[in-house]
């Protein structure tokens, strides 16, 4: 089972990071994709309260995205990523390169904040690599 999960996690590379006004988070697990939030999406996994109060680049958003995706896709592990890949869209609280990653399993859901350097492509690559490492760390700690 772990080998299968790792194989599927490696398919995460084409992850999309939330940016500026139209933010997405997608994951590639168990052959499924989930857009777990989008500003215009009323039926998303992220509550409107979280979007309106703490914003989409936040711990609460990453947690809801990961747990919502796991429930929606009915998988053992789901990953989420939300952040500012750049080159624009940064704020003093969340400058370009800020990324929140979430991992959800049956045992619970965690989120971690990261600050990456480089251009948009570099931030996206670092996000995907770090998401895989974080998921593996969570799986190995079980």
């Amino acid at each position: 089972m772990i080998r299968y999960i790792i194989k599927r996690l490696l398919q995460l590379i084409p992850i999309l990071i939330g940016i500026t006004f139209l933010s997405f988070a997608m994951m590639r697990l168990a052959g499924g994709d989930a857009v777990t939030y989008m500003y215009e999406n009323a039926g998303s996994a992220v509550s409107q309260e979280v979007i309106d109060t703490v914003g989409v680049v936040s711990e609460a958003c990453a947690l809801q995205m990961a747990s919502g995706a796991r429930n929606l896709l009915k998988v053992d592990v789901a990953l989420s990523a939300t952040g500012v890949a750049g080159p624009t869209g940064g704020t003093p609280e969340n400058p370009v390169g800020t990324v929140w990653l979430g991992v959800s399993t049956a045992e619970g859901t965690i989120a971690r904040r990261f600050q990456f350097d480089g251009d948009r492509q570099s931030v996206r690559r670092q996000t995907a690599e770090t998401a895989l490492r974080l998921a593996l760390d969570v799986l190995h700690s079980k």
Side-chain angles (χ1 to χ4, degrees), residues 15-95:
I15 195 165
L16 297 176
I17 304 300
I19 49 171
T20 62
F21 298 106
L22 186 60
S23 300
F24 295 94
M26 299 181 74
M27 60 232 49
R28 314 251 315 140
L29 271 176
D33 296 343
V35 176
T36 55
Y37 80 80
M38 182 170 56
Y39 282 152
E40 295 81 11
N41 183 2
S44 71
V46 178
S47 71
Q48 192 63 46
E49 179 182 0
V50 165
I51 292 170
D52 292 342
T53 57
V54 295
V56 295
V57 183
S58 66
E59 178 181 27
C61 185
L63 290 168
Q64 286 187 7
M65 288 167 53
S67 62
R70 190 174 61 80
N71 292 330
L72 175 70
L73 298 173
K74 297 181 180 11
V75 293
D76 296 316
V77 180
L79 307 176
S80 67
T82 182
V84 186
T88 63
T91 66
E93 300 84 29
N94 292 308

Side-chain angles (χ1 to χ4, degrees), residues 12-15 17 123-133:
L12 178 70
I13 300 304
I15 195 165
I17 304 300
V123 170
R124 291 178 69 190
R125 180 186 47 73
Q126 291 172 81
T127 297
E129 290 171 358
T130 304
L132 290 172
R133 280 195 295 275

Side-chain angles (χ1 to χ4, degrees), residues 96-98 115-126:
V96 170
T98 303
Q115 188 65 49
F116 300 123
D117 294 319
D119 63 11
R120 178 179 174 78
Q121 182 176 351
S122 177
V123 170
R124 291 178 69 190
R125 180 186 47 73
Q126 291 172 81

Side-chain angles (χ1 to χ4, degrees), residues 9 62-63 66-67 70 76-81 101-105 108-112 130-139:
L9 287 174
L63 290 168
S67 62
R70 190 174 61 80
D76 296 316
V77 180
L79 307 176
S80 67
L101 298 175
V103 179
S104 183
T105 68
T109 305
I110 61 140
R112 300 286 184 269
T130 304
L132 290 172
R133 280 195 295 275
L134 182 61
L136 290 173
D137 289 348
V138 168
L139 292 172

